[in-house]
Amino acid sequence: MFQLKEVSFAFDAGEPVLRHLSLTINSGEKVCLMGHNGSGKSTLLKLCAGLLKPTAGELLADGEPIAEAHRAGFIFQNPDDQIVGATVAEDIAFALQNLRVARPEIVKQVERVAEEFSLRDKLDAAPEHLSAGQRQRLALAGVFIADPRVLLIDEPTSYLDDAGRAHLRRIIQNSRMTTIAATQYVEEATDFDRVILLDNGAIVFDGAPRDFVKSGFAPAPLNVREVVQPGGEEVLLEAKELSFAYAIDSPVIRGFSHSFRGGEITAIMGASGSGKTSLALLLAGLIEPDEGEVKRCKNAGVGLLLQFPEHNFFADTVFDEVAFAARNQGSSQSQVAEYVRRALEQVGLDPEQFSQRNPFTLSAGEQRRVAIAAVLVMECSIYIFDEITCGLDWEGRQLVAEMLVKLAVQGKSIIICGHDRALAGAIGARVLKLAAE
């Protein structure tokens, strides 16, 4: 299916992202790509999709150079990057419309795929009103409906809940499609025939999943030496009987009450669409509840990491992106420089290497680290992180786990929203599970 001969790729005149890759991927093979943030996984997927062209070497599909008509389904790391329809039904139908399929058949196939991806009751909804997990299922549905010969997926389970992850893994296992997927989770690698590990743009392992697990390359589980114990200090944030709905007949949050204490980590979990992100926005004061109230301890500032923080990048350099909040707080130039240095180091980014980089040129995991640093640069008593580990490699997840514990030990109240059960368990978080209405 694919043959790469000494393929290299670089953006503009920068350092190569991929270096002299030579490999063959056979028809029907299921390949898992792994590697640190910035190792070249997404770039390799885009080359195989024909979205990028090698700057050196040769890449063939079925023995021919990849053309625009290459029959591949590509799923981006961020589902919003490929959602184009005004409604869920329109978005799922988009590929078949471009293939000039007859309208009655399109309607039939849209209903079939929507049922398969648990979106049947959302067909008339606007995509922007869906949760992140629902939007990821929508992106998957929009690709699967066209029955591509090749499936290329970048971090396919990032925003999916447990049921969504299990469903996608079953589809991949039972499909005859050639599948290449980038993931950070070792447990997902066992669903594939082959694991390719990239490091600094080069292949350092290529073999069976069982051999990868034994190779020493596979990451160890999260391990935090100091674990936070529930039952912290004073109450810094209190929610009383919160209720909220975007539409009158569709409640998202109903009667939520909880006290968030300093020195404690709270994990808000639940299925896609259960209201985790809406609750985070309510607690941060960005939206007002229909009923109930949120009380914050006097002078308790709130730092919030949004679900897709990269959407809000605006600065030309990483330094300016991270420095924005510190400058708004009236810090001096020397203080800002120190705060930015400290925040970047907290997320594992070398200030010398990254400060003058353009944030839009970074990998998704590196962008997520910058976004976290932009929140940490503020001195807050309460930090709310929505899907903090999405896009992060295993080193990034380990670093985030240790960082969250350190903040809690300092007396901060930490709230994390998402599906990362391993993270919640490793840091001793108190888990609050939301049920979908």
Side-chain angles (χ1 to χ4, degrees), residues 2 23-26 28-34 44-45 151-153 172 177-183 188-189 191-197 206-207 209:
F2 291 107
L23 66 111
T24 298
I25 296 173
N26 296 316
E29 195 170 19
K30 295 175 174 58
V31 177
C32 175
L33 297 180
M34 301 197 76
L44 178 55
L45 286 172
L151 183 63
L152 305 164
I153 323 179
I172 291 175
M177 290 183 289
T178 305
T179 303
I180 310 175
T183 182
E188 293 177 5
D191 297 333
F192 296 81
D193 305 318
R194 179 178 171 191
V195 175
I196 295 176
L197 179 66
D206 185 352

Coordinates of all heavy atoms in Angstrom, one line a residue, residues 2 23-26 28-34 44-45 151-153 172 177-183 188-189 191-197 206-207 209:
F2 N 1.8 1.3 0.9 CA 2.7 2.5 1.0 C 4.2 2.0 0.9 O 4.5 1.0 1.6 CB 2.5 3.3 2.3 CG 1.2 4.0 2.3 CD1 0.2 3.6 3.2 CD2 1.0 5.1 1.6 CE1 -1.0 4.2 3.3 CE2 -0.2 5.8 1.7 CZ -1.2 5.3 2.5
L23 N 10.4 2.5 4.6 CA 9.6 1.5 5.1 C 8.5 1.1 4.2 O 8.2 1.9 3.3 CB 9.0 1.9 6.5 CG 8.0 3.0 6.5 CD1 6.6 2.5 6.8 CD2 8.4 4.1 7.5
T24 N 7.9 -0.1 4.3 CA 6.8 -0.5 3.5 C 5.6 -0.9 4.4 O 5.8 -1.5 5.5 CB 7.2 -1.8 2.7 OG1 8.3 -1.4 1.8 CG2 6.0 -2.3 1.9
I25 N 4.4 -0.4 4.1 CA 3.2 -0.8 4.8 C 2.3 -1.5 3.8 O 1.9 -1.0 2.8 CB 2.5 0.5 5.4 CG1 3.4 1.1 6.4 CG2 1.2 0.1 6.0 CD1 2.9 2.5 6.9
N26 N 2.0 -2.7 4.1 CA 1.2 -3.6 3.2 C -0.3 -3.3 3.3 O -0.8 -2.8 4.3 CB 1.5 -5.1 3.6 CG 2.9 -5.5 3.4 OD1 3.5 -5.1 2.3 ND2 3.5 -6.2 4.3
G28 N -4.0 -3.7 4.0 CA -4.8 -4.3 5.1 C -4.0 -4.3 6.4 O -4.6 -4.7 7.4
E29 N -2.8 -3.9 6.4 CA -2.0 -3.9 7.7 C -2.5 -2.7 8.6 O -2.9 -1.7 8.2 CB -0.5 -3.7 7.3 CG 0.4 -4.0 8.5 CD 1.9 -4.0 8.1 OE1 2.2 -3.5 7.0 OE2 2.7 -4.6 8.8
K30 N -2.4 -3.0 9.9 CA -2.8 -2.0 10.9 C -1.5 -1.6 11.7 O -0.9 -2.4 12.4 CB -3.8 -2.6 11.8 CG -5.2 -2.9 11.2 CD -6.1 -3.6 12.1 CE -7.5 -3.8 11.4 NZ -7.4 -4.5 10.2
V31 N -1.2 -0.3 11.5 CA 0.1 0.2 12.0 C -0.1 1.2 13.1 O -0.9 2.2 12.8 CB 1.0 0.7 10.9 CG1 2.3 1.3 11.4 CG2 1.3 -0.4 9.9
C32 N 0.5 1.1 14.2 CA 0.4 2.1 15.3 C 1.7 3.0 15.3 O 2.8 2.4 15.4 CB 0.2 1.4 16.6 SG 0.2 2.5 18.0
L33 N 1.6 4.3 15.2 CA 2.7 5.2 15.3 C 2.8 5.7 16.7 O 1.8 6.2 17.3 CB 2.5 6.4 14.3 CG 2.5 6.1 12.8 CD1 2.3 7.4 12.1 CD2 3.8 5.4 12.4
M34 N 4.0 5.6 17.3 CA 4.2 6.2 18.6 C 5.4 7.1 18.6 O 6.3 7.0 17.7 CB 4.3 5.1 19.7 CG 3.1 4.2 19.7 SD 3.0 3.2 21.3 CE 2.5 4.4 22.4
L44 N 4.1 12.4 9.3 CA 4.1 11.2 8.5 C 2.7 10.8 8.0 O 2.5 10.4 6.9 CB 4.7 10.0 9.3 CG 4.7 8.6 8.7 CD1 5.5 8.7 7.3 CD2 5.4 7.6 9.6
L45 N 1.7 11.0 8.9 CA 0.3 10.7 8.5 C -0.1 11.6 7.3 O -0.8 11.2 6.4 CB -0.6 10.9 9.7 CG -0.6 9.8 10.8 CD1 -1.4 10.3 12.0 CD2 -1.1 8.5 10.2
L151 N -7.2 4.3 6.2 CA -7.6 5.1 7.3 C -6.4 5.6 8.0 O -5.6 4.9 8.5 CB -8.5 4.3 8.3 CG -9.1 5.0 9.5 CD1 -10.0 6.1 9.0 CD2 -9.8 4.0 10.4
L152 N -6.3 6.9 8.1 CA -5.2 7.6 8.8 C -5.7 8.4 9.9 O -6.5 9.4 9.7 CB -4.4 8.5 7.8 CG -3.9 7.8 6.5 CD1 -3.6 8.8 5.4 CD2 -2.7 6.9 6.8
I153 N -5.4 8.1 11.1 CA -6.0 8.7 12.3 C -4.9 9.3 13.2 O -3.9 8.6 13.6 CB -6.8 7.8 13.1 CG1 -7.6 6.8 12.2 CG2 -7.8 8.5 14.0 CD1 -8.4 5.8 13.0
I172 N -11.6 -0.7 14.4 CA -10.2 -0.9 13.8 C -9.9 -2.4 13.7 O -9.4 -2.9 12.7 CB -9.2 -0.1 14.6 CG1 -9.4 1.4 14.4 CG2 -7.8 -0.5 14.2 CD1 -8.5 2.3 15.3
M177 N -9.6 -2.3 6.2 CA -8.9 -1.1 5.7 C -7.4 -1.1 6.2 O -7.1 -1.6 7.3 CB -9.5 0.2 6.2 CG -10.8 0.5 5.6 SD -11.5 2.1 6.1 CE -11.9 1.7 7.8
T178 N -6.5 -0.6 5.4 CA -5.2 -0.3 5.8 C -5.3 0.8 6.8 O -5.9 1.8 6.5 CB -4.3 0.1 4.7 OG1 -4.3 -0.9 3.7 CG2 -2.9 0.4 5.1
T179 N -4.8 0.6 8.0 CA -5.0 1.6 9.1 C -3.6 2.1 9.7 O -2.8 1.2 10.0 CB -5.9 1.1 10.2 OG1 -7.1 0.7 9.7 CG2 -6.1 2.2 11.3
I180 N -3.4 3.4 9.7 CA -2.2 3.9 10.4 C -2.7 4.9 11.4 O -3.4 5.9 11.0 CB -1.2 4.6 9.4 CG1 -0.9 3.6 8.2 CG2 0.1 5.0 10.1 CD1 -0.1 4.3 7.1
A181 N -2.4 4.7 12.6 CA -2.9 5.6 13.7 C -1.8 6.0 14.6 O -1.0 5.2 15.0 CB -4.0 4.9 14.5
A182 N -1.8 7.3 15.0 CA -0.8 7.8 15.9 C -1.5 7.8 17.3 O -2.6 8.3 17.4 CB -0.3 9.2 15.5
T183 N -0.8 7.3 18.3 CA -1.4 7.4 19.7 C -0.3 7.5 20.7 O 0.9 7.1 20.4 CB -2.2 6.1 19.9 OG1 -2.8 6.2 21.2 CG2 -1.4 4.8 19.9
E188 N -3.4 0.9 23.6 CA -4.1 0.9 22.3 C -3.2 0.2 21.3 O -3.7 -0.2 20.2 CB -4.4 2.3 21.9 CG -5.5 3.0 22.8 CD -5.8 4.4 22.4 OE1 -5.2 4.9 21.4 OE2 -6.5 5.0 23.2
A189 N -1.9 0.2 21.5 CA -1.0 -0.4 20.5 C -1.2 -1.9 20.3 O -1.0 -2.4 19.2 CB 0.5 -0.2 20.9
D191 N -3.9 -3.3 19.7 CA -4.9 -3.5 18.7 C -4.4 -3.6 17.3 O -5.1 -3.8 16.4 CB -6.0 -2.3 18.8 CG -6.7 -2.3 20.1 OD1 -6.8 -3.3 20.8 OD2 -7.1 -1.2 20.5
F192 N -3.1 -3.3 17.1 CA -2.5 -3.2 15.8 C -1.6 -4.4 15.5 O -1.1 -5.1 16.4 CB -1.7 -1.9 15.7 CG -2.6 -0.7 15.8 CD1 -3.0 -0.2 17.0 CD2 -3.1 0.0 14.7 CE1 -3.9 0.9 17.1 CE2 -3.9 1.1 14.7 CZ -4.3 1.6 16.0
D193 N -1.2 -4.5 14.2 CA -0.3 -5.6 13.8 C 1.1 -5.2 14.1 O 2.0 -6.1 14.2 CB -0.5 -5.9 12.3 CG -1.9 -6.2 11.9 OD1 -2.5 -7.0 12.7 OD2 -2.4 -5.7 10.9
R194 N 1.4 -3.9 14.1 CA 2.7 -3.4 14.1 C 2.9 -2.1 14.8 O 1.9 -1.2 14.7 CB 3.1 -3.3 12.6 CG 4.5 -2.8 12.3 CD 4.6 -2.8 10.7 NE 5.8 -2.2 10.2 CZ 5.9 -1.9 8.9 NH1 5.0 -2.3 8.0 NH2 7.0 -1.3 8.5
V195 N 4.0 -1.9 15.5 CA 4.2 -0.6 16.1 C 5.5 0.0 15.5 O 6.5 -0.6 15.4 CB 4.5 -0.7 17.6 CG1 4.9 0.6 18.3 CG2 3.2 -1.3 18.3
I196 N 5.4 1.3 15.1 CA 6.6 2.1 14.6 C 6.8 3.2 15.6 O 5.9 4.0 15.8 CB 6.3 2.6 13.2 CG1 6.2 1.4 12.2 CG2 7.5 3.5 12.7 CD1 5.9 1.8 10.7
L197 N 7.9 3.2 16.2 CA 8.3 4.3 17.1 C 9.2 5.3 16.5 O 10.3 4.9 16.0 CB 8.9 3.7 18.4 CG 9.4 4.7 19.5 CD1 8.2 5.3 20.1 CD2 10.2 3.9 20.5
D206 N 10.5 -0.9 15.0 CA 9.5 -1.3 14.1 C 9.3 -2.8 14.2 O 10.1 -3.6 13.9 CB 10.0 -1.0 12.6 CG 8.9 -1.3 11.6 OD1 7.9 -1.9 11.9 OD2 9.1 -1.0 10.4
G207 N 8.2 -3.1 14.9 CA 7.9 -4.6 15.1 C 6.6 -4.8 15.7 O 5.7 -3.9 15.7
P209 N 3.6 -5.5 18.5 CA 3.2 -4.8 19.8 C 3.8 -5.6 21.0 O 4.3 -4.9 21.9 CB 1.7 -4.9 19.8 CG 1.3 -4.9 18.4 CD 2.3 -5.7 17.7

